[in-house]
Short mmCIF file of all heavy atoms in Angstrom, two decimals:
data_model
loop_
_atom_site.label_atom_id
_atom_site.label_comp_id
_atom_site.label_asym_id
_atom_site.label_seq_id
_atom_site.Cartn_x
_atom_site.Cartn_y
_atom_site.Cartn_z
N ALA A 48 29.66 72.24 -148.66
CA ALA A 48 29.04 71.98 -149.96
C ALA A 48 28.80 73.30 -150.69
O ALA A 48 28.44 74.30 -150.09
CB ALA A 48 27.73 71.23 -149.77
N LEU A 49 28.97 73.28 -152.00
CA LEU A 49 28.71 74.45 -152.84
C LEU A 49 27.22 74.65 -152.95
O LEU A 49 26.47 73.75 -153.26
CB LEU A 49 29.32 74.23 -154.24
CG LEU A 49 29.16 75.37 -155.21
CD1 LEU A 49 29.90 76.61 -154.71
CD2 LEU A 49 29.70 74.96 -156.58
N LEU A 50 26.78 75.89 -152.64
CA LEU A 50 25.36 76.22 -152.75
C LEU A 50 25.02 76.62 -154.16
O LEU A 50 25.86 77.14 -154.90
CB LEU A 50 25.01 77.36 -151.80
CG LEU A 50 25.24 77.12 -150.31
CD1 LEU A 50 25.02 78.40 -149.52
CD2 LEU A 50 24.33 76.02 -149.80
N LYS A 51 23.77 76.45 -154.57
CA LYS A 51 23.33 76.81 -155.92
C LYS A 51 23.45 78.35 -156.10
O LYS A 51 23.91 78.81 -157.12
CB LYS A 51 21.88 76.35 -156.12
CG LYS A 51 21.32 76.68 -157.46
CD LYS A 51 19.93 76.17 -157.61
CE LYS A 51 19.30 76.59 -158.92
NZ LYS A 51 17.90 76.16 -159.02
N ASP A 52 23.02 79.11 -155.09
CA ASP A 52 23.06 80.56 -155.15
C ASP A 52 23.89 81.12 -153.99
O ASP A 52 23.87 80.56 -152.91
CB ASP A 52 21.63 81.15 -155.06
CG ASP A 52 20.76 80.71 -156.23
OD1 ASP A 52 21.23 80.81 -157.38
OD2 ASP A 52 19.63 80.27 -155.97
N ALA A 53 24.60 82.20 -154.25
CA ALA A 53 25.37 82.87 -153.19
C ALA A 53 24.42 83.50 -152.20
O ALA A 53 23.33 83.94 -152.55
CB ALA A 53 26.28 83.92 -153.80
N ARG A 54 24.85 83.57 -150.93
CA ARG A 54 24.09 84.23 -149.90
C ARG A 54 24.88 85.46 -149.44
O ARG A 54 26.08 85.42 -149.31
CB ARG A 54 23.90 83.30 -148.70
CG ARG A 54 23.09 82.07 -149.01
CD ARG A 54 22.95 81.21 -147.78
NE ARG A 54 22.25 79.99 -148.11
CZ ARG A 54 22.15 78.95 -147.33
NH1 ARG A 54 22.71 78.98 -146.12
NH2 ARG A 54 21.52 77.87 -147.69
N THR A 55 24.17 86.56 -149.18
CA THR A 55 24.79 87.81 -148.75
C THR A 55 24.22 88.21 -147.40
O THR A 55 23.01 88.23 -147.21
CB THR A 55 24.54 88.95 -149.77
OG1 THR A 55 25.06 88.54 -151.04
CG2 THR A 55 25.21 90.22 -149.33
N THR A 56 25.12 88.52 -146.48
CA THR A 56 24.74 89.05 -145.17
C THR A 56 25.36 90.43 -145.04
O THR A 56 26.52 90.63 -145.41
CB THR A 56 25.27 88.13 -144.05
OG1 THR A 56 24.73 86.83 -144.23
CG2 THR A 56 24.90 88.67 -142.69
N THR A 57 24.61 91.42 -144.57
CA THR A 57 25.08 92.77 -144.43
C THR A 57 25.10 93.20 -142.97
O THR A 57 24.09 93.01 -142.27
CB THR A 57 24.18 93.75 -145.23
OG1 THR A 57 24.14 93.33 -146.58
CG2 THR A 57 24.72 95.17 -145.19
N LEU A 58 26.22 93.75 -142.50
CA LEU A 58 26.32 94.29 -141.17
C LEU A 58 25.37 95.46 -141.04
O LEU A 58 25.27 96.28 -141.94
CB LEU A 58 27.75 94.75 -140.88
CG LEU A 58 28.07 95.31 -139.51
CD1 LEU A 58 28.02 94.20 -138.48
CD2 LEU A 58 29.42 95.97 -139.50
N ASP A 59 24.62 95.53 -139.93
CA ASP A 59 23.60 96.58 -139.79
C ASP A 59 24.17 97.93 -139.33
O ASP A 59 23.44 98.86 -139.06
CB ASP A 59 22.48 96.14 -138.86
CG ASP A 59 22.96 95.86 -137.45
OD1 ASP A 59 24.17 95.91 -137.20
OD2 ASP A 59 22.12 95.58 -136.59
N LYS A 60 25.48 98.10 -139.32
CA LYS A 60 26.11 99.37 -138.98
C LYS A 60 26.78 99.94 -140.23
O LYS A 60 27.25 99.20 -141.06
CB LYS A 60 27.20 99.16 -137.91
CG LYS A 60 26.75 98.46 -136.68
CD LYS A 60 26.35 99.44 -135.64
CE LYS A 60 26.05 98.70 -134.37
NZ LYS A 60 25.00 99.22 -133.62
N ILE A 61 26.83 101.27 -140.33
CA ILE A 61 27.54 101.91 -141.43
C ILE A 61 28.95 102.21 -140.97
O ILE A 61 29.19 102.74 -139.88
CB ILE A 61 26.81 103.20 -141.87
CG1 ILE A 61 25.47 102.82 -142.51
CG2 ILE A 61 27.69 103.99 -142.84
CD1 ILE A 61 24.67 104.00 -143.00
N LEU A 62 29.92 101.86 -141.78
CA LEU A 62 31.34 102.11 -141.48
C LEU A 62 31.77 103.36 -142.20
O LEU A 62 31.37 103.62 -143.34
CB LEU A 62 32.18 100.93 -141.97
CG LEU A 62 31.75 99.54 -141.45
CD1 LEU A 62 32.62 98.46 -142.09
CD2 LEU A 62 31.86 99.49 -139.94
N THR A 63 32.60 104.18 -141.56
CA THR A 63 33.08 105.44 -142.13
C THR A 63 34.58 105.38 -142.29
O THR A 63 35.29 105.08 -141.33
CB THR A 63 32.69 106.63 -141.24
OG1 THR A 63 31.26 106.64 -141.11
CG2 THR A 63 33.13 107.95 -141.85
N GLU A 64 35.06 105.72 -143.47
CA GLU A 64 36.52 105.84 -143.75
C GLU A 64 36.77 107.31 -143.90
O GLU A 64 36.18 108.00 -144.74
CB GLU A 64 36.88 105.08 -145.02
CG GLU A 64 38.33 105.20 -145.40
CD GLU A 64 39.27 104.60 -144.36
OE1 GLU A 64 38.93 103.59 -143.75
OE2 GLU A 64 40.37 105.18 -144.21
N ARG A 65 37.70 107.84 -143.11
CA ARG A 65 38.09 109.24 -143.19
C ARG A 65 39.35 109.37 -144.02
O ARG A 65 40.14 108.44 -144.15
CB ARG A 65 38.32 109.82 -141.79
CG ARG A 65 37.08 109.82 -140.95
CD ARG A 65 37.34 110.49 -139.63
NE ARG A 65 36.12 110.58 -138.86
CZ ARG A 65 35.82 109.75 -137.86
NH1 ARG A 65 36.68 108.82 -137.53
NH2 ARG A 65 34.69 109.85 -137.22
N LYS A 66 39.58 110.56 -144.57
CA LYS A 66 40.78 110.80 -145.36
C LYS A 66 42.04 110.66 -144.52
O LYS A 66 43.01 110.08 -144.92
CB LYS A 66 40.74 112.17 -146.03
CG LYS A 66 39.74 112.27 -147.13
CD LYS A 66 39.78 113.62 -147.78
CE LYS A 66 38.73 113.67 -148.87
NZ LYS A 66 38.76 114.89 -149.61
N GLN A 67 42.03 111.22 -143.33
CA GLN A 67 43.16 111.14 -142.41
C GLN A 67 42.68 110.43 -141.12
O GLN A 67 41.66 110.84 -140.57
CB GLN A 67 43.69 112.53 -142.05
CG GLN A 67 44.29 113.27 -143.22
CD GLN A 67 45.55 112.62 -143.71
OE1 GLN A 67 46.33 112.07 -142.93
NE2 GLN A 67 45.74 112.60 -145.02
N PRO A 68 43.41 109.44 -140.64
CA PRO A 68 43.01 108.81 -139.39
C PRO A 68 43.06 109.85 -138.25
O PRO A 68 43.93 110.70 -138.24
CB PRO A 68 44.02 107.70 -139.18
CG PRO A 68 44.99 107.78 -140.27
CD PRO A 68 44.59 108.86 -141.21
N VAL A 69 42.10 109.77 -137.33
CA VAL A 69 42.09 110.68 -136.21
C VAL A 69 43.34 110.50 -135.38
O VAL A 69 44.06 111.41 -135.08
CB VAL A 69 40.80 110.45 -135.35
CG1 VAL A 69 40.83 111.31 -134.13
CG2 VAL A 69 39.57 110.72 -136.19
N SER A 70 43.64 109.27 -135.00
CA SER A 70 44.90 108.94 -134.36
C SER A 70 45.06 107.41 -134.40
O SER A 70 44.09 106.68 -134.47
CB SER A 70 44.92 109.41 -132.91
OG SER A 70 43.99 108.70 -132.14
N ILE A 71 46.29 107.01 -134.40
CA ILE A 71 46.58 105.56 -134.41
C ILE A 71 47.34 105.27 -133.13
O ILE A 71 48.30 105.94 -132.80
CB ILE A 71 47.44 105.21 -135.63
CG1 ILE A 71 46.70 105.53 -136.92
CG2 ILE A 71 47.83 103.74 -135.59
CD1 ILE A 71 47.52 105.40 -138.15
N PHE A 72 46.85 104.29 -132.40
CA PHE A 72 47.51 103.91 -131.15
C PHE A 72 48.38 102.70 -131.43
O PHE A 72 47.93 101.69 -131.96
CB PHE A 72 46.45 103.59 -130.11
CG PHE A 72 47.02 103.29 -128.76
CD1 PHE A 72 47.53 104.30 -127.97
CD2 PHE A 72 47.10 102.00 -128.31
CE1 PHE A 72 48.05 104.01 -126.73
CE2 PHE A 72 47.63 101.72 -127.07
CZ PHE A 72 48.11 102.74 -126.28
N ARG A 73 49.66 102.84 -131.14
CA ARG A 73 50.59 101.73 -131.31
C ARG A 73 51.26 101.42 -129.97
O ARG A 73 51.51 102.29 -129.19
CB ARG A 73 51.69 102.11 -132.30
CG ARG A 73 51.42 101.68 -133.69
CD ARG A 73 52.61 101.92 -134.53
NE ARG A 73 52.81 103.37 -134.61
CZ ARG A 73 53.80 103.94 -135.25
NH1 ARG A 73 54.69 103.24 -135.85
NH2 ARG A 73 53.91 105.26 -135.28
N GLU A 74 51.57 100.16 -129.78
CA GLU A 74 52.29 99.74 -128.60
C GLU A 74 53.60 99.14 -129.06
O GLU A 74 53.61 98.27 -129.91
CB GLU A 74 51.46 98.74 -127.79
CG GLU A 74 51.98 98.48 -126.44
CD GLU A 74 50.98 97.72 -125.60
OE1 GLU A 74 50.78 96.54 -125.90
OE2 GLU A 74 50.43 98.31 -124.69
N THR A 75 54.69 99.63 -128.52
CA THR A 75 56.00 99.14 -128.90
C THR A 75 56.68 98.53 -127.70
O THR A 75 56.67 99.11 -126.62
CB THR A 75 56.88 100.33 -129.42
OG1 THR A 75 56.17 100.98 -130.46
CG2 THR A 75 58.20 99.84 -129.96
N LEU A 76 57.30 97.40 -127.92
CA LEU A 76 58.02 96.72 -126.87
C LEU A 76 59.45 97.21 -126.93
O LEU A 76 60.20 96.93 -127.85
CB LEU A 76 57.94 95.22 -127.07
CG LEU A 76 58.35 94.31 -125.95
CD1 LEU A 76 57.47 94.61 -124.71
CD2 LEU A 76 58.16 92.88 -126.33
N SER A 77 59.88 97.99 -125.88
CA SER A 77 61.23 98.54 -125.89
C SER A 77 62.24 97.60 -125.22
O SER A 77 63.41 97.66 -125.47
CB SER A 77 61.28 99.91 -125.27
OG SER A 77 60.82 99.83 -123.93
N SER A 78 61.78 96.78 -124.30
CA SER A 78 62.60 95.74 -123.67
C SER A 78 61.69 94.65 -123.25
O SER A 78 60.47 94.83 -123.18
CB SER A 78 63.38 96.34 -122.50
OG SER A 78 62.53 96.62 -121.43
N PRO A 79 62.22 93.48 -122.92
CA PRO A 79 61.32 92.36 -122.58
C PRO A 79 60.31 92.63 -121.48
O PRO A 79 59.25 92.07 -121.47
CB PRO A 79 62.29 91.25 -122.18
CG PRO A 79 63.58 91.62 -122.85
CD PRO A 79 63.61 93.10 -122.91
N ASP A 80 60.64 93.55 -120.53
CA ASP A 80 59.71 93.77 -119.43
C ASP A 80 59.17 95.19 -119.36
O ASP A 80 58.53 95.57 -118.43
CB ASP A 80 60.35 93.37 -118.12
CG ASP A 80 61.63 94.18 -117.84
OD1 ASP A 80 62.24 94.64 -118.80
OD2 ASP A 80 61.97 94.32 -116.69
N THR A 81 59.45 96.03 -120.38
CA THR A 81 58.99 97.42 -120.37
C THR A 81 58.23 97.72 -121.64
O THR A 81 58.72 97.50 -122.73
CB THR A 81 60.18 98.39 -120.27
OG1 THR A 81 60.96 98.03 -119.15
CG2 THR A 81 59.70 99.82 -120.15
N ARG A 82 57.03 98.23 -121.51
CA ARG A 82 56.21 98.61 -122.66
C ARG A 82 56.11 100.13 -122.75
O ARG A 82 55.88 100.78 -121.75
CB ARG A 82 54.83 97.98 -122.59
CG ARG A 82 54.89 96.50 -122.78
CD ARG A 82 53.51 95.92 -122.79
NE ARG A 82 53.64 94.49 -122.99
CZ ARG A 82 52.78 93.76 -123.62
NH1 ARG A 82 51.70 94.31 -124.14
NH2 ARG A 82 52.95 92.49 -123.77
N VAL A 83 56.27 100.66 -123.93
CA VAL A 83 56.14 102.08 -124.14
C VAL A 83 54.99 102.29 -125.11
O VAL A 83 54.95 101.70 -126.18
CB VAL A 83 57.44 102.65 -124.75
CG1 VAL A 83 57.28 104.12 -125.03
CG2 VAL A 83 58.60 102.39 -123.81
N SER A 84 54.04 103.15 -124.73
CA SER A 84 52.90 103.43 -125.59
C SER A 84 53.03 104.86 -126.11
O SER A 84 53.46 105.74 -125.39
CB SER A 84 51.59 103.28 -124.80
OG SER A 84 51.47 101.96 -124.38
N HIS A 85 52.64 105.07 -127.35
CA HIS A 85 52.64 106.38 -127.90
C HIS A 85 51.60 106.48 -129.03
O HIS A 85 51.17 105.49 -129.53
CB HIS A 85 54.02 106.76 -128.42
CG HIS A 85 54.50 105.90 -129.54
ND1 HIS A 85 55.01 104.65 -129.34
CD2 HIS A 85 54.53 106.12 -130.86
CE1 HIS A 85 55.36 104.13 -130.52
NE2 HIS A 85 55.06 104.98 -131.46
N ARG A 86 51.26 107.70 -129.36
CA ARG A 86 50.33 107.93 -130.48
C ARG A 86 51.15 108.36 -131.68
O ARG A 86 52.08 109.15 -131.56
CB ARG A 86 49.32 109.01 -130.12
CG ARG A 86 48.37 108.51 -129.05
CD ARG A 86 47.24 109.50 -128.89
NE ARG A 86 46.37 109.05 -127.84
CZ ARG A 86 45.32 108.27 -128.02
NH1 ARG A 86 45.03 107.84 -129.22
NH2 ARG A 86 44.55 107.92 -127.02
#
Side-chain angles (χ1 to χ4, degrees):
L49 181 64
L50 299 173
K51 181 179 175 183
D52 298 313
R54 296 180 185 169
T55 301
T56 301
T57 303
L58 182 70
D59 62 355
K60 306 265 187 217
I61 292 180
L62 306 176
T63 301
E64 178 63 36
R65 296 185 177 101
K66 289 183 181 183
Q67 295 292 325
V69 176
S70 67
I71 299 172
F72 184 75
R73 265 188 294 178
E74 191 168 72
T75 306
L76 195 58
S77 60
S78 70
D80 59 336
T81 306
R82 291 184 179 211
V83 177
S84 297
H85 64 282
R86 291 190 182 271

